[in-house]
Amino acid sequence: MPIGEAHKSGSRFSGLCEYVLAQGIYDIQKEFKKPEIVLHNYIYGQHYEEIAKQFKEQADENRKVKNPVMHLSVNFKTEDHISEKVQKEFVKRVLDEMGIKDDNHQYIAVRHNDKHPHFHIIVNRVGFDGKTLSDSYTKYRIGTACDKIEKEMGLDNYLEKSRIFIHDEATNSYKKNDKREINKGKVIVKRTRNRQVGVQEKKDYIQIQTIKALQNQQITSLEVLQNELKKKNIVFQYTVNKKDQVAVSFKYDGLAVKGTQVSLKGSLIKKQLLLNAKASVHQNEKDNFLTTIKETKKAFRNSVYDMVNTYNSGKTPNLKKVFSKNGLKLDDDFTIKHNNWEVNIPDLQSFNEQCKVKLENAKKEYKNKLEVYQLVQNTEFKKGIFGILTLDQKKFNEELKLKKQNMLFPSLDVGISAEVFLYDIQSKMEGIQKEIESKKVDHKEAYIIDQSIDLNLEQKKNLKEDSSIIMDVLKSSNTIDDEEMQKPKRKRNR
């Protein structure tokens, strides 16, 4: 069901508009659908700079407001199969519930389709009446607004159980969700308690080293986990029955424990390994795509150089053969393909036409120069009468001789350069590459670390390994997608 998010108010419209409209990213890439403005109020045009200027002009009506930019988003799950029409109506009703009225506030709502359908909403907090739209408790307000609208529109309301505040239909007001379910579906990894001297420290070591290994997305099987823990002097043993149920145990420094004794039962480890495998696949897909982009950039550069060199030699190249020689497929609409990536480059067509014109002009100039050269070379010397030359004839022959000796045979000078054209296209490809590189792979975790687990093992002298490496074990590098951001965060020691 829809998930509403409220982001911190900002001071600059231009940066947010550029991010939301993603201008300059999708212009030569077909793989991702361009963002689409589905709602707008007192905002006109499509380009982010033009839109940001309109927002700023209204915001300048009240310069006391330091953060006039309100940023909201509404996320929909693909598997909920909610139509675009209903999504748009839902977003419009969210605006109404948040006090954003058509007669008083500028706004745009932009639909994104990467990963899952979601809408970014940019609102000008400075109203036409001069008053400022409140941004207090927007995180809770948008959540309760989504809850109310779901119920009124008859949509599935299964996220109600995880919301802090919900809409009470009986009183038509909001109330705290006393039945809220926190962290449902995730196992909490708790610290065990032992009074026996030294046992707790060893259990802590086993637990933390195992968690550290499980956070590595390259650890995708029980065997790989076993080898990884062996490096930490931990013996990891496991059995898998016919129903694929997993039982695990650990041994370290004379202590043998079952997985349940360190809150790491077999089913939990199996689930995390499967999540690691999924993240690893996505990481490989990302790496492969980045490799494809790099290969395409190099092959495209080589193809353009080959194309230009052919034109400069006086010939018209067969572009499809030129690109094919470098591993690229060139379609009639000037789309280049490599592996599973397609990039449409209309500028290549215009550049090719320019090259043809330059070649034709160069050929005409060459022909003219050749005619002049041949005329001079074919001009005969004066012979005079009975071999006797007049002074004028002698002067003519001397000048003609020098002219013939000093005149070089003309060459075809097309003079086409690829640098400017390549710079523009390569810059666009590099922009796509950086965009992909910046997106972190979503690496989910099957568990939550209980706050009582002591991660500071520096003063525990009985461990065989230097414990200073443990300090950053549970600092997650994982990303959380739009859906996960609505879930309660894991508690961690600081």
Side-chain angles (χ1 to χ4, degrees), residues 6 9 67 70 72 98-100 105 123-127 131-139 141:
S9 297
N67 295 310
M70 177 178 282
L72 308 173
M98 296 296 290
I100 303 162
H105 287 282
V123 182
N124 197 336
R125 293 182 58 220
V126 178
K131 296 180 181 179
T132 306
L133 182 68
S134 173
D135 62 350
S136 299
Y137 305 106
T138 49
K139 178 180 178 181
R141 286 164 52 205

PDB file of all heavy atoms in Angstrom, residues 6 9 67 70 72 98-100 105 123-127 131-139 141:
ATOM      1  N   ALA A   6       8.081  12.345   4.271  1.00  0.00           N
ATOM      2  CA  ALA A   6       8.314  13.786   4.305  1.00  0.00           C
ATOM      3  C   ALA A   6       9.795  14.019   4.534  1.00  0.00           C
ATOM      4  O   ALA A   6      10.370  13.494   5.480  1.00  0.00           O
ATOM      5  CB  ALA A   6       7.495  14.434   5.419  1.00  0.00           C
ATOM      6  N   SER A   9      12.771  20.159   5.047  1.00  0.00           N
ATOM      7  CA  SER A   9      12.593  21.349   4.220  1.00  0.00           C
ATOM      8  C   SER A   9      13.945  21.922   3.805  1.00  0.00           C
ATOM      9  O   SER A   9      14.913  21.872   4.572  1.00  0.00           O
ATOM     10  CB  SER A   9      11.798  22.416   4.968  1.00  0.00           C
ATOM     11  OG  SER A   9      10.495  21.950   5.256  1.00  0.00           O
ATOM     12  N   ASN A  67      13.660  28.302   4.673  1.00  0.00           N
ATOM     13  CA  ASN A  67      13.536  26.999   4.005  1.00  0.00           C
ATOM     14  C   ASN A  67      12.152  26.883   3.355  1.00  0.00           C
ATOM     15  O   ASN A  67      11.248  26.246   3.904  1.00  0.00           O
ATOM     16  CB  ASN A  67      13.748  25.858   4.998  1.00  0.00           C
ATOM     17  CG  ASN A  67      15.156  25.832   5.555  1.00  0.00           C
ATOM     18  OD1 ASN A  67      16.128  25.883   4.817  1.00  0.00           O
ATOM     19  ND2 ASN A  67      15.271  25.768   6.875  1.00  0.00           N
ATOM     20  N   MET A  70       9.398  22.471   0.353  1.00  0.00           N
ATOM     21  CA  MET A  70       8.848  21.258   0.982  1.00  0.00           C
ATOM     22  C   MET A  70       8.952  20.105  -0.020  1.00  0.00           C
ATOM     23  O   MET A  70       8.589  20.245  -1.183  1.00  0.00           O
ATOM     24  CB  MET A  70       7.395  21.461   1.404  1.00  0.00           C
ATOM     25  CG  MET A  70       6.750  20.199   1.992  1.00  0.00           C
ATOM     26  SD  MET A  70       5.037  20.442   2.567  1.00  0.00           S
ATOM     27  CE  MET A  70       5.339  21.255   4.141  1.00  0.00           C
ATOM     28  N   LEU A  72       7.933  16.112  -0.484  1.00  0.00           N
ATOM     29  CA  LEU A  72       7.189  14.937  -0.046  1.00  0.00           C
ATOM     30  C   LEU A  72       7.329  13.854  -1.105  1.00  0.00           C
ATOM     31  O   LEU A  72       7.647  14.125  -2.263  1.00  0.00           O
ATOM     32  CB  LEU A  72       5.704  15.270   0.146  1.00  0.00           C
ATOM     33  CG  LEU A  72       5.354  16.467   1.027  1.00  0.00           C
ATOM     34  CD1 LEU A  72       3.855  16.739   0.959  1.00  0.00           C
ATOM     35  CD2 LEU A  72       5.796  16.239   2.464  1.00  0.00           C
ATOM     36  N   MET A  98      -2.500  17.452   3.470  1.00  0.00           N
ATOM     37  CA  MET A  98      -1.334  18.150   4.027  1.00  0.00           C
ATOM     38  C   MET A  98      -1.531  19.660   4.022  1.00  0.00           C
ATOM     39  O   MET A  98      -0.616  20.412   4.375  1.00  0.00           O
ATOM     40  CB  MET A  98      -0.082  17.780   3.234  1.00  0.00           C
ATOM     41  CG  MET A  98       0.314  16.308   3.315  1.00  0.00           C
ATOM     42  SD  MET A  98       0.765  15.782   4.970  1.00  0.00           S
ATOM     43  CE  MET A  98       2.319  16.634   5.207  1.00  0.00           C
ATOM     44  N   GLY A  99      -2.716  20.119   3.620  1.00  0.00           N
ATOM     45  CA  GLY A  99      -3.012  21.550   3.645  1.00  0.00           C
ATOM     46  C   GLY A  99      -2.467  22.312   2.454  1.00  0.00           C
ATOM     47  O   GLY A  99      -2.352  23.539   2.482  1.00  0.00           O
ATOM     48  N   ILE A 100      -2.143  21.590   1.385  1.00  0.00           N
ATOM     49  CA  ILE A 100      -1.589  22.213   0.178  1.00  0.00           C
ATOM     50  C   ILE A 100      -2.751  22.438  -0.789  1.00  0.00           C
ATOM     51  O   ILE A 100      -3.200  21.504  -1.463  1.00  0.00           O
ATOM     52  CB  ILE A 100      -0.493  21.319  -0.438  1.00  0.00           C
ATOM     53  CG1 ILE A 100       0.604  21.054   0.598  1.00  0.00           C
ATOM     54  CG2 ILE A 100       0.083  21.955  -1.699  1.00  0.00           C
ATOM     55  CD1 ILE A 100       1.490  19.885   0.264  1.00  0.00           C
ATOM     56  N   HIS A 105      -1.010  27.546  -3.141  1.00  0.00           N
ATOM     57  CA  HIS A 105       0.375  27.059  -3.148  1.00  0.00           C
ATOM     58  C   HIS A 105       0.791  26.506  -4.503  1.00  0.00           C
ATOM     59  O   HIS A 105       0.022  25.801  -5.170  1.00  0.00           O
ATOM     60  CB  HIS A 105       0.569  25.961  -2.095  1.00  0.00           C
ATOM     61  CG  HIS A 105       0.572  26.479  -0.702  1.00  0.00           C
ATOM     62  ND1 HIS A 105       1.659  27.105  -0.135  1.00  0.00           N
ATOM     63  CD2 HIS A 105      -0.393  26.490   0.247  1.00  0.00           C
ATOM     64  CE1 HIS A 105       1.362  27.479   1.099  1.00  0.00           C
ATOM     65  NE2 HIS A 105       0.120  27.113   1.362  1.00  0.00           N
ATOM     66  N   VAL A 123       6.781  21.437  -3.115  1.00  0.00           N
ATOM     67  CA  VAL A 123       5.764  22.420  -2.726  1.00  0.00           C
ATOM     68  C   VAL A 123       6.466  23.706  -2.285  1.00  0.00           C
ATOM     69  O   VAL A 123       7.492  23.666  -1.604  1.00  0.00           O
ATOM     70  CB  VAL A 123       4.885  21.894  -1.574  1.00  0.00           C
ATOM     71  CG1 VAL A 123       3.800  22.907  -1.224  1.00  0.00           C
ATOM     72  CG2 VAL A 123       4.279  20.543  -1.939  1.00  0.00           C
ATOM     73  N   ASN A 124       5.906  24.827  -2.669  1.00  0.00           N
ATOM     74  CA  ASN A 124       6.380  26.121  -2.183  1.00  0.00           C
ATOM     75  C   ASN A 124       5.648  26.443  -0.887  1.00  0.00           C
ATOM     76  O   ASN A 124       4.429  26.620  -0.889  1.00  0.00           O
ATOM     77  CB  ASN A 124       6.114  27.209  -3.227  1.00  0.00           C
ATOM     78  CG  ASN A 124       6.942  28.453  -2.964  1.00  0.00           C
ATOM     79  OD1 ASN A 124       7.361  28.710  -1.835  1.00  0.00           O
ATOM     80  ND2 ASN A 124       7.185  29.223  -4.008  1.00  0.00           N
ATOM     81  N   ARG A 125       6.379  26.498   0.218  1.00  0.00           N
ATOM     82  CA  ARG A 125       5.761  26.750   1.519  1.00  0.00           C
ATOM     83  C   ARG A 125       5.235  28.186   1.626  1.00  0.00           C
ATOM     84  O   ARG A 125       4.387  28.470   2.472  1.00  0.00           O
ATOM     85  CB  ARG A 125       6.758  26.475   2.636  1.00  0.00           C
ATOM     86  CG  ARG A 125       7.144  25.003   2.773  1.00  0.00           C
ATOM     87  CD  ARG A 125       8.108  24.795   3.938  1.00  0.00           C
ATOM     88  NE  ARG A 125       7.528  25.251   5.180  1.00  0.00           N
ATOM     89  CZ  ARG A 125       8.207  25.903   6.130  1.00  0.00           C
ATOM     90  NH1 ARG A 125       9.486  26.205   5.947  1.00  0.00           N
ATOM     91  NH2 ARG A 125       7.603  26.289   7.235  1.00  0.00           N
ATOM     92  N   VAL A 126       5.749  29.087   0.782  1.00  0.00           N
ATOM     93  CA  VAL A 126       5.274  30.477   0.802  1.00  0.00           C
ATOM     94  C   VAL A 126       4.008  30.559  -0.033  1.00  0.00           C
ATOM     95  O   VAL A 126       4.030  30.385  -1.255  1.00  0.00           O
ATOM     96  CB  VAL A 126       6.345  31.431   0.250  1.00  0.00           C
ATOM     97  CG1 VAL A 126       5.813  32.864   0.226  1.00  0.00           C
ATOM     98  CG2 VAL A 126       7.614  31.355   1.093  1.00  0.00           C
ATOM     99  N   GLY A 127       2.891  30.799   0.605  1.00  0.00           N
ATOM    100  CA  GLY A 127       1.608  30.832  -0.086  1.00  0.00           C
ATOM    101  C   GLY A 127       1.333  32.172  -0.757  1.00  0.00           C
ATOM    102  O   GLY A 127       2.002  33.178  -0.482  1.00  0.00           O
ATOM    103  N   LYS A 131       1.299  33.737   3.829  1.00  0.00           N
ATOM    104  CA  LYS A 131       1.526  32.880   4.995  1.00  0.00           C
ATOM    105  C   LYS A 131       2.408  31.691   4.618  1.00  0.00           C
ATOM    106  O   LYS A 131       2.526  31.341   3.444  1.00  0.00           O
ATOM    107  CB  LYS A 131       0.197  32.409   5.566  1.00  0.00           C
ATOM    108  CG  LYS A 131      -0.675  33.541   6.104  1.00  0.00           C
ATOM    109  CD  LYS A 131      -1.988  33.016   6.672  1.00  0.00           C
ATOM    110  CE  LYS A 131      -2.855  34.148   7.187  1.00  0.00           C
ATOM    111  NZ  LYS A 131      -4.150  33.657   7.729  1.00  0.00           N
ATOM    112  N   THR A 132       3.003  31.072   5.646  1.00  0.00           N
ATOM    113  CA  THR A 132       3.941  29.968   5.422  1.00  0.00           C
ATOM    114  C   THR A 132       3.288  28.641   5.789  1.00  0.00           C
ATOM    115  O   THR A 132       2.721  28.495   6.882  1.00  0.00           O
ATOM    116  CB  THR A 132       5.215  30.146   6.271  1.00  0.00           C
ATOM    117  OG1 THR A 132       5.768  31.431   6.008  1.00  0.00           O
ATOM    118  CG2 THR A 132       6.239  29.081   5.931  1.00  0.00           C
ATOM    119  N   LEU A 133       3.375  27.681   4.889  1.00  0.00           N
ATOM    120  CA  LEU A 133       2.840  26.344   5.141  1.00  0.00           C
ATOM    121  C   LEU A 133       3.672  25.641   6.207  1.00  0.00           C
ATOM    122  O   LEU A 133       4.900  25.583   6.115  1.00  0.00           O
ATOM    123  CB  LEU A 133       2.862  25.528   3.843  1.00  0.00           C
ATOM    124  CG  LEU A 133       2.287  24.119   3.897  1.00  0.00           C
ATOM    125  CD1 LEU A 133       0.776  24.174   4.121  1.00  0.00           C
ATOM    126  CD2 LEU A 133       2.586  23.374   2.593  1.00  0.00           C
ATOM    127  N   SER A 134       3.017  25.110   7.221  1.00  0.00           N
ATOM    128  CA  SER A 134       3.731  24.458   8.327  1.00  0.00           C
ATOM    129  C   SER A 134       4.423  23.174   7.854  1.00  0.00           C
ATOM    130  O   SER A 134       3.861  22.398   7.088  1.00  0.00           O
ATOM    131  CB  SER A 134       2.761  24.118   9.450  1.00  0.00           C
ATOM    132  OG  SER A 134       3.413  23.343  10.451  1.00  0.00           O
ATOM    133  N   ASP A 135       5.661  22.983   8.324  1.00  0.00           N
ATOM    134  CA  ASP A 135       6.356  21.724   8.053  1.00  0.00           C
ATOM    135  C   ASP A 135       6.627  20.951   9.345  1.00  0.00           C
ATOM    136  O   ASP A 135       7.518  20.096   9.396  1.00  0.00           O
ATOM    137  CB  ASP A 135       7.667  21.978   7.304  1.00  0.00           C
ATOM    138  CG  ASP A 135       8.647  22.829   8.109  1.00  0.00           C
ATOM    139  OD1 ASP A 135       8.244  23.373   9.158  1.00  0.00           O
ATOM    140  OD2 ASP A 135       9.800  22.963   7.685  1.00  0.00           O
ATOM    141  N   SER A 136       5.856  21.242  10.372  1.00  0.00           N
ATOM    142  CA  SER A 136       6.002  20.546  11.648  1.00  0.00           C
ATOM    143  C   SER A 136       5.356  19.158  11.578  1.00  0.00           C
ATOM    144  O   SER A 136       4.245  19.002  11.062  1.00  0.00           O
ATOM    145  CB  SER A 136       5.345  21.351  12.769  1.00  0.00           C
ATOM    146  OG  SER A 136       5.957  22.613  12.897  1.00  0.00           O
ATOM    147  N   TYR A 137       6.056  18.176  12.072  1.00  0.00           N
ATOM    148  CA  TYR A 137       5.556  16.800  12.174  1.00  0.00           C
ATOM    149  C   TYR A 137       5.050  16.251  10.822  1.00  0.00           C
ATOM    150  O   TYR A 137       4.110  15.466  10.774  1.00  0.00           O
ATOM    151  CB  TYR A 137       4.431  16.702  13.220  1.00  0.00           C
ATOM    152  CG  TYR A 137       4.820  17.222  14.572  1.00  0.00           C
ATOM    153  CD1 TYR A 137       4.335  18.441  15.046  1.00  0.00           C
ATOM    154  CD2 TYR A 137       5.702  16.496  15.386  1.00  0.00           C
ATOM    155  CE1 TYR A 137       4.704  18.929  16.290  1.00  0.00           C
ATOM    156  CE2 TYR A 137       6.079  16.981  16.637  1.00  0.00           C
ATOM    157  CZ  TYR A 137       5.574  18.190  17.081  1.00  0.00           C
ATOM    158  OH  TYR A 137       5.946  18.661  18.317  1.00  0.00           O
ATOM    159  N   THR A 138       5.686  16.708   9.732  1.00  0.00           N
ATOM    160  CA  THR A 138       5.222  16.256   8.408  1.00  0.00           C
ATOM    161  C   THR A 138       5.388  14.749   8.236  1.00  0.00           C
ATOM    162  O   THR A 138       4.604  14.111   7.525  1.00  0.00           O
ATOM    163  CB  THR A 138       5.985  16.991   7.292  1.00  0.00           C
ATOM    164  OG1 THR A 138       7.398  16.923   7.567  1.00  0.00           O
ATOM    165  CG2 THR A 138       5.554  18.429   7.190  1.00  0.00           C
ATOM    166  N   LYS A 139       6.408  14.174   8.886  1.00  0.00           N
ATOM    167  CA  LYS A 139       6.623  12.725   8.776  1.00  0.00           C
ATOM    168  C   LYS A 139       5.405  11.960   9.287  1.00  0.00           C
ATOM    169  O   LYS A 139       4.971  10.971   8.681  1.00  0.00           O
ATOM    170  CB  LYS A 139       7.871  12.328   9.564  1.00  0.00           C
ATOM    171  CG  LYS A 139       8.163  10.839   9.553  1.00  0.00           C
ATOM    172  CD  LYS A 139       9.417  10.539  10.349  1.00  0.00           C
ATOM    173  CE  LYS A 139       9.690   9.043  10.384  1.00  0.00           C
ATOM    174  NZ  LYS A 139      10.906   8.727  11.169  1.00  0.00           N
ATOM    175  N   ARG A 141       2.340  13.370   9.821  1.00  0.00           N
ATOM    176  CA  ARG A 141       1.127  13.846   9.155  1.00  0.00           C
ATOM    177  C   ARG A 141       0.888  13.144   7.824  1.00  0.00           C
ATOM    178  O   ARG A 141      -0.232  12.772   7.492  1.00  0.00           O
ATOM    179  CB  ARG A 141       1.211  15.359   8.947  1.00  0.00           C
ATOM    180  CG  ARG A 141       1.011  16.170  10.227  1.00  0.00           C
ATOM    181  CD  ARG A 141       1.477  17.609  10.059  1.00  0.00           C
ATOM    182  NE  ARG A 141       0.882  18.233   8.887  1.00  0.00           N
ATOM    183  CZ  ARG A 141       1.445  19.268   8.242  1.00  0.00           C
ATOM    184  NH1 ARG A 141       2.601  19.749   8.649  1.00  0.00           N
ATOM    185  NH2 ARG A 141       0.839  19.785   7.189  1.00  0.00           N
TER     186      ARG A 141
END
